[in-house]
Amino acid sequence: MAIYKANTSNILIAAEEIKCGGLVAFPTETVYGLGADGLNPIAVAKIFEAKNRPAFNPLILHISSLSQLHQVAEINNDRAKLLINKFWPGPLTLVLKKKDIVPDIVTAGSETVAVRMPNNKTALELIYNAGTPIAAPSANEFGKLSPTTAFHVQEQLKTKVKIILDDGKCDVGVESTIIQVTDKQIVLLRYGGLPVEEIESLINEKVLKRKETDLINSPGLLKSHYAPTIPIKFIDEINLKNHTNQKVGAILWNLNNYDFNFTKIKYLSSSGNIREAAANLFVYLHELENENLDLIVCEKINETGLGKAIMDRLQKAVNKYS
Ligand code: TXA
Ligand code: MG
């Protein structure tokens, strides 16, 4: 791993790394982010691996132009447009309806996507040259403080990221403010670098706190949020013989060791690659949901590295039906 001074040639090297599916830590005006190609699910899986997160959290897509915004999200809301005109680039993240192109691993399966345009020249050039929205959480290890210098990133992520673009200390130093704008209301999801009062005075409307609304938009919070609409069980916690007359779909690691006539089988990774498994999981849950099945069964997987986050998601889904 190396710290690269944020000049034009190094930004191009970093952009190339993003294009190739690698990770780059980069400055924004709020905190340093750990970025990957936001449209490449395997690249995004590497972020969770590097951060050592025990669960999948939805990530913010960082964009450098409004055309990229339209690529990833719907904005058919005048208040959202107003906020964008006034506060972008800047420390404001908007949660909007996602377009199909955004992989489920970015949104943790949610129909919404968080987007922001950072107010930092290095970040904007990196995104522009990578030619793709960059998915990035703060570049800290799980449970540690968000980094505001390249050195903080290096201390925490050590060997996990090849390139850290160094553009000095972050101007704002706290994360972006996150709001969700629906047709009916504007809801604050996280306090951050842009004061809520500034938002309220622009749109002439009160920003609601999450508890003042019925919106449930923090996917990680609910024990069973990640559940598909069809019952899902761990394969070793049921007796398959009791389901012979049903249409059963299976999510297996890479082999079928079961004496059962599954209607549909999805292998998480035929090559036994955990990143591929993480990227596939989100897609498979959605696909199986649309297969007209009575039941989905899934194998437990080894809880090391990314396996923890995968199991967390499966466990939350199973909890809903137990
Ligand atoms: O300033 C920032 O926002 C920094 C820099 C790097 O841009 N990024 C950052 O990302 O703080 P992260 O991953 O540490 O925090 C993003 C937050 C998470 O709490 C996540 O739950 C929320 O955004 N989030 C992301 N997508 C969401 C969605 N679709 N709905 C609701 N919340 C979402
Ligand atoms: Mg964070």
Side-chain angles (χ1 to χ4, degrees):
M1 175 183 66
I3 292 188
Y4 288 63
K5 206 171 147 17
N7 56 33
T8 306
S9 60
N10 284 339
I11 291 173
L12 287 176
I13 294 172
E16 207 49 45
E17 182 69 18
I18 296 279
K19 280 191 200 167
C20 297
L23 299 181
V24 170
F26 65 100
T28 78
E29 80 282 33
T30 59
V31 300
Y32 275 72
L34 179 63
D37 179 350
L39 303 183
N40 173 346
I42 305 258
V44 173
K46 292 180 187 169
I47 294 176
F48 293 102
E49 199 172 35
K51 282 198 58 144
N52 241 330
R53 273 201 80 92
F56 293 106
N57 218 25
L59 303 174
I60 298 172
L61 285 183
H62 297 71
I63 57 170
S64 62
S65 67
L66 288 182
S67 61
Q68 270 181 336
L69 171 65
H70 297 295
Q71 194 188 4
V72 298
E74 309 273 356
I75 47 157
N76 34 24
N77 185 302
D78 286 342
R79 283 124 80 236
K81 287 180 195 156
L82 213 59
L83 291 165
I84 287 166
N85 282 334
K86 171 88 177 171
F87 295 118
W88 279 6
L92 174 68
T93 295
L94 295 178
V95 171
L96 301 162
K97 192 167 179 314
K98 89 174 186 89
K99 289 198 174 155
D100 286 345
I101 193 175
V102 180
D104 289 315
I105 191 168
V106 169
T107 64
S110 158
E111 285 309 300
T112 59
V113 63
V115 190
R116 87 178 190 97
M117 190 188 289
N119 188 16
N120 174 287
K121 205 166 147 274
T122 300
L124 293 173
E125 277 180 29
L126 175 69
I127 300 161
Y128 174 80
N129 285 299
T132 184
I134 295 187
S138 46
N140 53 293
E141 252 200 310
F142 173 67
K144 304 243 174 86
L145 283 179
S146 295
T148 51
T149 66
F151 180 68
H152 292 162
V153 180
Q154 188 178 37
E155 273 184 325
Q156 293 198 28
L157 295 179
K158 295 194 177 72
T159 58
K160 309 272 181 56
V161 52
K162 239 171 41 194
I163 299 177
I164 304 174
L165 281 177
D166 182 0
D167 193 17
K169 202 161 155 281
C170 300
D171 293 336
V172 176
V174 293
E175 284 98 337
S176 60
T177 301
I178 306 181
I179 60 171
Q180 179 157 14
V181 185
T182 71
D183 288 333
K184 283 183 296 192
Q185 54 195 7
I186 299 194
V187 184
L188 179 71
L189 303 184
R190 179 175 77 187
Y191 285 101
L194 180 71
V196 174
E197 295 76 12
E198 286 195 36
I199 298 172
E200 290 178 330
S201 83
L202 177 75
I203 53 173
N204 240 325
E205 184 182 323
K206 202 171 149 20
V207 173
L208 302 175
K209 308 283 146 37
R210 202 196 324 247
K211 56 180 181 301
E212 297 169 328
T213 74
D214 49 7
L215 270 188
I216 296 181
N217 22 35
S218 206
L221 285 182
L222 284 180
K223 222 169 117 209
S224 64
H225 177 84
Y226 293 131
T229 51
I230 297 170
I232 176 165
K233 309 255 185 204
F234 284 119
I235 204 162
D236 65 351
E237 292 179 358
I238 60 164
N239 187 347
L240 275 174
K241 287 201 193 86
N242 297 338
H243 300 272
T244 38
N245 295 323
Q246 292 185 322
K247 282 190 259 172
V248 180
I251 298 180
L252 307 177
W253 178 242
N254 68 354
L255 280 178
N256 179 6
N257 297 317
Y258 305 90
D259 180 21
F260 188 84
N261 189 11
F262 294 115
T263 307
K264 203 94 206 175
I265 300 180
K266 301 282 187 185
Y267 294 107
L268 282 174
S269 176
S270 47
S271 60
N273 178 311
I274 194 84
R275 289 174 190 157
E276 185 181 44
N280 282 337
L281 175 69
F282 288 87
V283 178
Y284 291 169
L285 285 172
H286 271 172
E287 284 179 2
L288 288 180
E289 227 172 40
N290 299 321
E291 287 286 344
N292 208 6
L293 300 166
D294 300 304
L295 178 68
I296 300 170
V297 292
C298 56
E299 275 182 334
K300 288 181 179 162
I301 67 158
N302 205 333
E303 288 194 50
T304 51
L306 262 182
K308 259 208 185 68
I310 296 176
M311 274 301 283
D312 173 74
R313 191 180 206 277
L314 287 173
Q315 186 70 58
K316 281 175 176 149
V318 168
N319 284 347
K320 178 167 171 187
Y321 295 101
S322 59

